[in-house]
Amino acid sequence: MKKYSFRIIMIVAFILFAGYLLWPTYSDSVYQSKLESLSGQDSTEYFDENEASIRNARDNRLKLGLDLQGGMYVTLEVDIVELLGKLAKNEDENLRDILAATKEEALTSDEPVLDIFRRRFDEKNMRLSRYYGDIRDSNGEVMDKLSDETEKAVERALEIIRNRIDQYGVSEVAITRSGSRRIILELPGVSDEQEVRGLIQETAQLEFKLFADDNTQLATVKRIDRVLLGKPPEEEVDTTAAADSTDAALADNEAAEDTTAAAADADQLDSIAKANMTDEERLDEYKKENPFLGLFIPTQYGLFATADQKERINNILDRDDVKNAIADDLTFAWSAKPEQLQDGSEVYEFYMLKRKPELTGEVITNAQAQIEQTGLGGAVVTMQMDAEGAREWARVTGANVNKRIAIVLDNAVFSAPNVRQKIIGGNSQIEGMENMEEARLLEIVLKAGALPAPVSIIEERTVGPSLGEDSISAGINSFAIGFVLVLLFMVVYYQFGGVPADIAVLFNVVFILGILAGFHGTLTLPGIAGILLTVGMAVDANVLINERIREEFGAGKTLRAAIDAGYSRAFPAIIDSNLTTLLTSIILYQFGSGPIQGFALTLGIGIVCSLFTAIVMTRVIFEITADNAPGLVKFG
Amino acid sequence: MRIFTHLNFDFMGKRKTFYVLSAIILLASVISLAFKGVEFGLDFKGGTEVVVRFPRTVEIDELRGWMSTSDLGSIEIKSFGTDTDYIVRTEQKGQGTEISNKIKSILIEHFPDKGIEILQENIVEAKIGSEIRRDAVIAVFFALIGILIYIGFRFKFIFAIGAVIALFHDVLLTLGIVSMVTNLIPGLNLEFDQAMVAAFLTLVGFSINDTVVVFDRVRENLKLSKSSAFEPVLNKSINSTMSRTVLTSTTTFIVMLALLFFGGEPTRGFAFAMTVGVLTGTYSSIFVASALTLDWTKARKAKITF
């Protein structure tokens, strides 16, 4: 046995590894069917109990392509002609003519749009700097600036869309940049295409909003709490006194407990009773009495909530009775990006803002992320406004020194800087960025208000859920039928010789799926075609080996010698055919697009697995049986 | 069970006959491709298509009648495998979902209460179509170069030429047969879309695999008997690999037939092309790749040794 032990360990390790990689896929399907079998309330409870493992299984399972599970696939392209029109310092008949001509030519030409645009300018002997960049710039310099601008427009569009998708709450959306001007969105399981399309194509809204004052904030939270408790929203509370404690009230559990006590301070006995409770009991009590406020994580800086609580809070805020209890001039928003707490959990900040924006993004003329020149050298964003915006900005900042202003894009708060002083002249500097990355994001957001990133849908594919189901079940069924027939055929033809081959082919498929899941790859219809070819080649490798063993056995060799000779003789053919195919799959993956890549990926993985199963796995099985039970080994 | 145990057929002696056969089929393919062509799917020509499932059986003419009232220009209507599922397609360009909405509203008009189901909706700009086409051609072109280099390196250059010509033969012939059969068999949709491209890639893979196996045996036999003439060695190699060739082709054939008959609409075109491809891939390893190598050596009076 000893001479096999290394190979057996390797094989078992490989099988265990594949099992480990496929485990999330299996447990995900178990969880999903469990969740489906439970009714509304039970299902939510079950989800809450097992949330971590359900999410983990979801994230690591083998993902199905949109063609197999249904959903939407959208390719967006930044509309450069429209962007050029928007970027122009001044627009006249000449420019409009050139833009129109460029647009028409771009429809049929493979030439980059900017190149066409420049050629049109050159033909008319016009200088680009009449419309773009600095007046002294040469055409080349302007072109550099313009191509830089298109690059930024793609980033902007990407950020705007990502922001909206985050808010829309579509799970597992893949947003990727493709090439220099394109964005690909993959939205599995999305049914409301109309809404998604709106999200993609509407113009972004950038607004500057003031915070609601502390009194209003506290009163609002209390009103919501009361509505949820089934009491009338109004209460004769001493709001001014309570307001002072707003910030402190949210500081930590104990402080929060104090607020509760203060709110209910009519009942002294009650708060004495509370003093005797354990921390946990107090927290429970507090959550019970404050069904709304209790959903937040109280901190010194404001109201925060985890992603799940955020959903719940949004649902509450959507209720009609709650809406009625809220002042008309108030609006709610969440921070666009989560913040990390010390324990590593991610939370979103909740903002209560004035509904009417003080300013909108159109007044911004430029924004730039940079390293601070004078101070500590941190990352900052500078922002410039036009004359009208600057006047308005001076008024707003002047009236709100030491207060915060939220920068809101499509109803998500990206930053909420504190106003230090009245800003005259429209040049502002926003500080306090953690790093340059954060500053860049804010730059993109600020520019999104100034300069829309026009995108158009150039490709859209929607696969209804039932077609996905149809094709997956039909595809898998027929594949299974063919597969079983091949396995049977091998055993009929080679008798015992077919058994290792069948085992090898079966494990081959398991290995491919496991590795695909491990790579976070996606299984698509062309991907299944790739597996099909691999299975064909794995069968072929085994046929080559078995034929050779038969030949050698027929020539009078002993069983062991025939097996050895069979493997070594078949080896060059297997290696050459597999390496040719592997090479092909690598090239196809490199140069192909979408479906061709899906095909090439499974094919490439499959070839590597098939070499292993055909050469190592089957041989161990043959050798062990030939050594221990030679009578069993027959090749038909 | 055994087949072809002591096969001793003079394959190379008959090669001229098969050259003629290949030439005839290739000519027919080229004629069909030139006059009938292949039908490009939406992926390659661009436009808008809606795949709809009706709650009851609908005749294609009935559907044509409804659609003719629209102002959508030329509308193509095809069965999507069954009597209830249809593809409605037009090449007309519209803003966003303008066209697909028009199509859907006409369909809904005729089934106001009982719901129709939209199985699939695709909008592809012509520009994207031509890019997909270009990418596919580039990928396949480089793959062929890769094969040429690898086989030239592992065998002899002339073997590589033979193998690549055999690949062209298979692709052209399968394209020709796809073109000839297009629209002949009801329910068999042979449009050229991305799945069809995958089928051609698969058949190229299959064909090269088959050729390499034969060449490998030739290489081995040439190493064993350096003095033998090339032609008998080729024959011997083909004969001794015939059992494997038939077996592998049969198993692949079985899988493809299963896919063709039970695989459902989205994979049917793929399975058809592959079924043809398996046959021609096996055939070409012998009568194109090997035979051309032989004729080249004869013409050059060259001797191949490994």
Side-chain angles (χ1 to χ4, degrees):
Chain A
M1 268 325 254
K2 200 149 187 201
K3 55 182 166 175
Y4 316 120
S5 54
F6 172 69
R7 281 181 289 167
I8 290 179
I9 290 170
M10 195 160 77
I11 291 166
V12 171
F14 225 86
I15 293 173
L16 288 178
F17 186 57
Y20 165 77
L21 291 175
L22 283 176
W23 179 252
T25 311
Y26 168 76
S27 57
D28 180 64
S29 74
V30 172
Y31 280 131
Q32 291 312 314
S33 57
K34 179 88 185 163
L35 282 175
E36 266 169 40
S37 70
L38 293 169
S39 59
Q41 185 63 29
D42 292 344
S43 153
T44 331
E45 269 171 28
Y46 183 78
F47 183 83
D48 286 349
E49 271 167 39
N50 301 291
E51 195 186 328
S53 45
I54 291 179
R55 276 188 199 279
N56 185 37
R58 245 319 62 195
D59 290 345
N60 293 308
R61 86 201 144 123
L62 177 60
K63 285 173 192 64
L64 295 180
L66 297 179
D67 51 354
L68 294 179
Q69 67 161 332
M72 248 176 113
Y73 174 102
V74 185
T75 309
L76 298 167
E77 189 172 76
V78 169
D79 191 334
I80 292 191
V81 175
E82 203 180 325
L83 183 72
L84 286 172
K86 292 215 159 94
L87 282 173
K89 288 184 289 191
N90 47 53
E91 210 181 328
D92 57 19
E93 203 56 43
N94 275 328
L95 182 69
R96 269 193 289 272
D97 284 351
I98 291 179
L99 284 173
T102 309
K103 188 172 185 171
E104 199 176 315
E105 193 180 333
L107 279 179
T108 50
S109 166
D110 276 344
E111 205 182 338
V113 181
L114 276 180
D115 291 357
I116 300 175
F117 183 64
R118 179 178 182 170
R119 186 160 41 75
R120 296 268 171 185
F121 259 86
D122 289 345
E123 275 165 15
K124 292 202 171 184
N125 259 332
M126 276 162 61
R127 283 173 61 84
L128 281 160
S129 56
R130 253 176 76 185
Y131 303 98
Y132 304 98
D134 197 87
I135 197 75
R136 288 178 299 277
D137 285 347
S138 70
N139 275 6
E141 282 165 330
V142 176
M143 283 303 288
D144 288 345
K145 284 186 182 169
L146 287 180
S147 83
D148 197 40
E149 282 295 339
T150 51
E151 188 82 6
K152 284 186 175 163
V154 180
E155 273 172 31
R156 218 152 48 226
L158 203 59
E159 197 48 53
I160 292 170
I161 291 165
R162 195 173 283 147
N163 181 34
R164 287 181 186 164
I165 300 261
D166 281 352
Q167 291 191 62
Y168 182 56
V170 189
S171 61
E172 293 183 26
V173 188
I175 310 173
T176 41
R177 243 187 108 149
S178 151
S180 58
R181 293 164 49 197
R182 287 194 187 149
I183 298 168
I184 292 172
L185 295 179
E186 285 165 282
L187 308 117
V190 167
S191 49
D192 195 347
E193 333 154 3
Q194 218 58 44
E195 199 168 336
V196 174
R197 246 176 242 129
L199 287 175
I200 294 166
Q201 290 194 306
E202 261 168 38
T203 324
Q205 279 292 331
L206 180 75
E207 295 161 329
F208 294 91
K209 285 183 173 175
L210 288 173
F211 279 50
D213 58 57
D214 290 349
N215 288 351
T216 322
Q217 292 205 20
L218 186 70
T220 306
V221 172
K222 288 194 166 177
R223 276 160 161 266
I224 298 172
D225 270 338
R226 292 183 63 80
V227 169
L228 294 185
L229 288 169
K231 300 178 190 167
E234 296 301 337
E235 196 196 19
E236 48 305 335
V237 204
D238 185 1
T239 43
T240 45
D244 294 337
S245 64
T246 321
D247 290 354
L250 308 170
D252 53 33
N253 287 345
E254 248 176 46
E257 153 73 8
D258 287 345
T259 330
T260 332
D265 69 343
D267 198 342
Q268 283 288 336
L269 277 175
D270 193 32
S271 58
I272 291 167
K274 274 180 195 158
N276 295 328
M277 292 178 186
T278 64
D279 280 354
E280 212 164 299
E281 279 170 336
R282 271 192 239 173
L283 191 62
D284 280 350
E285 183 77 1
Y286 161 71
K287 283 191 173 169
K288 214 163 160 193
E289 284 175 24
N290 301 275
F292 181 67
L293 192 57
L295 293 172
F296 293 94
I297 301 166
T299 73
Q300 283 155 280
Y301 312 106
L303 293 167
F304 291 87
T306 59
D308 302 328
Q309 299 292 54
K310 183 179 153 194
E311 281 308 303
R312 274 190 208 158
I313 292 163
N314 284 341
N315 286 342
I316 291 175
L317 293 176
D318 246 10
R319 281 166 51 161
D320 281 339
D321 51 349
V322 172
K323 275 187 189 159
N324 286 336
I326 299 166
D328 286 341
D329 61 347
L330 197 65
T331 185
F332 305 104
W334 292 93
S335 60
K337 309 279 166 189
E339 270 177 60
Q340 279 220 319
L341 290 187
Q342 274 169 347
D343 63 357
S345 58
E346 296 202 320
V347 292
Y348 292 85
E349 186 167 2
F350 181 71
Y351 295 94
M352 289 184 250
L353 306 171
K354 290 194 174 151
R355 183 174 292 277
K356 194 172 172 306
E358 300 301 310
L359 269 180
T360 54
E362 291 93 71
V363 300
I364 298 174
T365 52
N366 201 7
Q368 186 71 45
Q370 56 198 67
I371 300 293
E372 197 182 12
Q373 301 298 326
T374 51
L376 296 166
V380 297
V381 179
T382 56
M383 168 177 81
Q384 284 85 47
M385 288 181 178
D386 59 18
E388 193 191 335
R391 260 199 311 281
E392 198 58 10
W393 191 232
R395 180 191 63 74
V396 174
T397 50
N400 290 286
V401 175
N402 277 327
K403 285 186 187 156
R404 293 170 82 191
I405 294 185
I407 300 173
V408 190
L409 177 68
D410 291 328
N411 211 32
V413 179
F414 276 83
S415 178
N418 201 35
V419 179
R420 291 242 187 90
Q421 68 211 38
K422 180 172 179 176
I423 299 169
I424 303 168
N427 290 326
S428 319
Q429 176 164 312
I430 302 164
E431 293 161 11
M433 249 60 66
E434 295 247 326
N435 48 36
M436 204 54 192
E437 207 176 307
E438 202 182 313
R440 284 245 165 74
L441 175 65
L442 189 58
E443 176 196 317
I444 290 172
V445 167
L446 289 172
K447 279 193 171 169
L451 236 193
V455 289
S456 52
I457 297 179
I458 52 172
E459 184 183 4
E460 184 190 306
R461 294 164 188 276
T462 314
V463 177
S466 62
L467 181 68
E469 264 167 44
D470 278 4
S471 59
I472 194 169
S473 62
I476 285 181
N477 286 344
S478 60
F479 186 61
I481 294 171
F483 200 68
V484 169
L485 284 176
V486 170
L487 296 187
L488 280 177
F489 185 77
M490 290 291 282
V491 176
V492 169
Y493 194 79
Y494 288 119
Q495 298 185 0
F496 176 80
V499 176
D502 283 358
I503 295 175
V505 174
L506 273 173
F507 272 110
N508 198 8
V509 175
V510 174
F511 289 158
I512 299 174
L513 295 179
I515 293 177
L516 198 61
F519 276 154
H520 290 274
T522 314
L523 187 64
T524 57
L525 221 51
I528 293 180
I531 296 181
L532 214 62
L533 178 58
T534 320
V535 167
M537 293 199 52
V539 169
D540 187 47
N542 286 293
V543 168
L544 277 167
I545 292 165
N546 283 354
E547 286 294 311
R548 275 309 173 101
I549 296 178
R550 266 186 178 180
E551 270 178 48
E552 303 294 331
F553 203 47
K557 285 205 170 103
T558 65
L559 183 59
R560 269 311 298 260
I563 291 175
D564 288 344
Y567 272 93
S568 58
R569 287 283 179 84
F571 190 72
I574 297 176
I575 270 291
D576 279 336
S577 61
N578 278 279
L579 282 187
T580 319
T581 313
L582 183 63
L583 185 76
T584 315
S585 71
I586 292 171
I587 294 170
L588 291 179
Y589 189 79
Q590 199 57 39
F591 293 102
S593 50
I596 294 182
Q597 277 188 331
F599 171 81
L601 183 64
T602 52
L603 180 61
I605 296 173
I607 293 296
V608 176
C609 295
S610 128
L611 278 176
F612 175 74
T613 53
I615 294 171
V616 181
M617 207 168 174
T618 57
R619 189 163 182 179
V620 169
I621 302 176
F622 271 135
E623 285 181 9
I624 291 178
T625 9
D627 281 356
N628 297 298
L632 261 181
V633 185
K634 287 199 177 65
F635 285 90
Chain B
M1 196 163 87
R2 275 156 203 262
I3 43 167
F4 307 132
T5 34
H6 296 289
L7 194 65
N8 191 8
F9 183 76
D10 182 13
F11 286 100
M12 288 302 106
K14 302 281 186 300
R15 68 181 188 281
K16 299 273 157 63
T17 321
F18 287 100
Y19 280 163
V20 176
L21 180 69
S22 280
I24 291 171
I25 305 178
L26 283 180
L27 188 68
S29 296
V30 170
I31 291 173
S32 177
L33 285 172
F35 290 100
K36 193 174 172 192
V38 289
E39 247 183 299
F40 280 113
L42 189 79
D43 291 341
F44 292 112
K45 66 182 178 197
T48 300
E49 75 180 10
V50 174
V51 182
V52 62
R53 172 170 292 170
F54 294 107
R56 63 165 170 87
T57 306
V58 169
E59 292 294 320
I60 196 161
D61 289 330
E62 201 179 346
L63 185 53
R64 270 204 188 106
W66 301 339
M67 281 298 150
S68 63
T69 57
S70 76
D71 58 343
L72 290 170
S74 91
I75 288 188
E76 191 186 340
I77 295 169
K78 284 188 156 183
S79 158
F80 194 67
T82 66
D83 293 344
T84 53
D85 302 358
Y86 287 95
I87 304 179
V88 181
R89 180 186 297 162
T90 167
E91 279 182 62
Q92 203 170 347
K93 260 181 64 102
Q95 192 65 259
T97 47
E98 189 189 336
I99 305 285
S100 62
N101 286 341
K102 271 189 193 166
I103 294 175
K104 280 191 277 186
S105 67
I106 295 174
L107 295 174
I108 291 167
E109 209 177 287
H110 291 271
F111 285 90
D113 347 297
K114 279 175 285 175
I116 56 165
E117 194 182 350
I118 304 297
L119 295 179
Q120 215 178 342
E121 196 182 319
N122 296 315
I123 301 164
V124 177
E125 272 203 9
K127 193 167 58 174
I128 284 265
S130 70
E131 278 179 26
I132 293 175
R133 206 158 45 198
R134 194 193 57 205
D135 283 355
V137 170
I138 290 176
V140 173
F141 177 74
F142 279 109
L144 286 176
I145 301 266
I147 290 170
L148 199 67
I149 292 171
Y150 184 83
I151 299 202
F153 176 68
R154 288 286 297 167
F155 298 88
K156 294 276 176 231
F157 187 62
I158 179 57
F159 282 63
I161 300 279
V164 170
I165 292 178
L167 287 184
F168 273 112
H169 168 272
D170 297 343
V171 169
L172 187 58
L173 200 148
T174 313
L175 265 180
I177 292 184
V178 165
S179 154
M180 286 177 227
V181 178
T182 298
N183 292 337
L184 275 191
I185 302 168
L188 182 65
N189 189 0
L190 292 179
E191 255 169 28
F192 225 81
D193 54 11
Q194 305 210 42
M196 197 62 115
V197 172
F200 275 82
L201 295 175
T202 314
L203 87 86
V204 165
F206 183 88
S207 167
I208 194 69
N209 179 49
D210 203 63
T211 307
V212 166
V213 170
V214 174
F215 281 180
D216 169 75
R217 195 53 86 91
V218 175
R219 180 174 59 186
E220 187 186 321
N221 285 334
L222 279 175
K223 274 184 192 164
L224 284 176
S225 52
K226 293 200 190 292
S227 55
S228 326
F230 193 41
E231 189 167 343
V233 170
L234 275 178
N235 266 329
K236 191 179 160 206
S237 308
I238 294 168
N239 276 310
S240 50
T241 48
M242 188 44 70
S243 165
R244 170 262 154 204
T245 304
V246 169
L247 210 60
T248 299
S249 307
T250 313
T251 50
T252 317
F253 204 66
I254 294 172
V255 177
M256 283 310 134
L257 285 182
L259 210 56
L260 186 59
F261 287 108
F262 310 108
E265 175 62 26
T267 49
R268 203 163 283 154
F270 174 91
F272 178 82
M274 266 304 288
T275 312
V276 178
V278 170
L279 291 176
T280 149
T282 313
Y283 165 87
S284 72
S285 301
I286 300 168
F287 296 110
V288 181
S290 306
L292 284 179
T293 317
L294 177 62
D295 276 325
W296 185 85
T297 8
K298 281 197 162 169
R300 293 288 194 84
K301 297 204 170 46
K303 179 134 183 74
I304 294 184
T305 45
F306 279 92

